Amino acid sequence: MEALRRNGLWAEAFALESSDRIDEGVALLDAGRALTVACPDYPSRWIEVLGASAPPALWIRGNMPPAPYLAVVGSRKLSSSDWRFASEVGRQAVLLGYTVVSGGAEGADRSAIAGAASVDPRRALEIWPRGIDRGPLRSRNTLSTCEPLAEFSASQAMERNALIYASAAATVIIRARFREGGTWIGASNALRSRLSKLIVQDVPGDLAAQALIAMGSIPLSHPQGLAQAMRSVEHERTLFAG
């Protein structure tokens, strides 16, 4: 606890002053209900990208899938062709060796997770802005920073969005709306904060897609082009690192 205090983690040190809290935490870890920054499968990219903002602990249902991760987010309202696009992105990602991370919302999130799970259910991960015991689980692997029975909140959704983007070197954006809605806000924040490289569904005449591409995102005209897009992401990372 003194080490926590020396590093400014006063709330964490206070929470551990009671031995009952420590015993409870150990029991949750043993039962597979919690994931902490000390766990070997805690996403290292959260620490690298978010720093002190990385959550020290989360609730979990299922298991942490293996890295590398590819995030997929997008509109809640999709046409049938956009739904198929998102689902195929999820499927292609798993075939390329990625775990798909999304937010569990209607539309693009669920479609991408369904596509990933159709290849390998172990390679799908949802991060929720509500408790993991509230509502049906569609993915066998689910994370949340909320208490297990907590209801949805907008602030938790913002935190959840940052975790999704920061979990992966690249995030695929499906049908954002220009300058409005959670997908646009999340994508814009991710670009400004450099949480993740963006790959954007390139739809002719789509203003949001063209704007995000103009800001440096990689266009994706069809899901089968995901491998090439990821090579572009890796190339940019290599150049930046050099």
Side-chain angles (χ1 to χ4, degrees), residues 12-184:
E12 289 81 357
F14 176 77
L16 293 178
E17 285 183 351
S18 167
S19 61
D20 290 342
R21 290 179 181 268
I22 296 175
D23 292 342
E24 181 183 358
V26 171
L28 288 169
L29 284 170
D30 290 343
R33 290 277 288 172
L35 176 76
T36 77
V37 71
C39 295
D41 49 358
Y42 184 94
S44 60
R45 202 169 186 280
W46 282 349
I47 301 171
E48 296 166 6
V49 175
L50 298 175
S53 297
L58 302 93
W59 297 90
I60 185 169
R61 286 281 294 271
N63 300 292
M64 276 300 294
Y69 301 124
L70 176 74
V72 183
V73 299
S75 175
R76 290 174 176 266
K77 296 181 179 180
L78 297 181
S79 66
S80 57
S81 61
D82 290 332
W83 177 278
R84 289 192 297 270
F85 188 102
S87 178
E88 184 61 18
V89 165
R91 197 179 79 86
Q92 289 292 327
V94 176
L95 292 175
L96 292 170
Y98 294 94
T99 286
V100 173
V101 183
S102 199
E106 297 279 357
D109 291 18
R110 292 188 187 176
S111 180
I113 288 295
S118 71
V119 179
D120 186 349
R122 297 169 297 179
R123 284 285 192 168
L125 174 65
E126 292 186 346
I127 305 177
W128 283 6
R130 63 182 187 279
I132 57 174
D133 290 343
R134 180 171 289 278
L137 295 178
R138 288 166 297 277
S139 170
R140 67 166 61 177
N141 308 308
T142 306
L143 286 175
S144 177
T145 58
C146 308
E147 291 288 335
L149 290 175
E151 296 184 357
F152 170 89
S153 74
S155 61
Q156 290 292 345
M158 295 294 288
E159 181 179 1
R160 181 274 312 267
N161 290 346
L163 292 178
I164 292 172
Y165 282 101
S167 69
T171 301
V172 179
I173 308 296
I174 308 291
R175 281 294 191 176
R177 290 180 294 156
F178 184 60
R179 291 187 175 178
E180 62 178 299
T183 301
W184 175 267

